[in-house]
Amino acid sequence: MSLRPPSAGASAAEAAFDALGHEILAEKAAALGRAGQRVEETLARLRDNGDEQLRPRLLKEAAEAVHGYFIQRELCGLRKHDAVIREYNIPKAVLVRLGAK
């Protein structure tokens, strides 16, 4: 899908739809960025904490953040998560908890 700014020859309805489409795409990108930031923060807390009593809660928080990030990626049309798992170095202990409540 290519993005084009509204053209001068476009009708008012088409121009409004194009502007709305651009705004929706921008919000999707911003939401994906916020979700990625949350993944980074929760994984850092998990890695930096040595307290075994806090570990289950930190694993749950990290799994929820990763799950939300994966959902947001899929809403953006990004279906494969292998590279993201490697890039963020998401532990298997987090991955096995995805979607679990």
Side-chain angles (χ1 to χ4, degrees):
M1 177 168 110
S2 63
L3 299 176
R4 292 177 284 129
S7 62
S11 71
E14 288 174 333
F17 181 74
D18 282 348
L20 178 62
H22 280 80
E23 189 171 331
I24 290 170
L25 288 175
E27 182 53 37
K28 280 183 175 182
L32 184 61
R34 289 188 301 271
Q37 183 65 36
R38 184 168 178 241
V39 167
E40 288 177 4
E41 291 168 359
T42 58
L43 289 175
R45 281 196 303 268
L46 179 64
R47 289 185 184 108
D48 295 342
N49 191 307
D51 186 355
E52 287 301 317
Q53 291 184 342
L54 285 179
R55 187 166 172 78
R57 183 176 63 89
L58 295 173
L59 281 168
K60 182 179 178 181
E61 289 175 4
E64 288 176 357
V66 170
H67 188 237
Y69 181 63
F70 284 177
I71 290 171
Q72 189 63 40
R73 281 178 49 83
E74 289 176 9
L75 289 170
C76 293
L78 305 167
R79 306 261 187 261
K80 296 182 181 180
H81 307 299
D82 297 339
V84 172
I85 292 169
R86 283 190 306 272
E87 182 179 328
Y88 283 110
N89 195 22
I90 301 171
K92 288 187 188 328
V94 171
L95 293 172
V96 299
R97 288 170 172 78
L98 293 186
K101 292 275 178 180

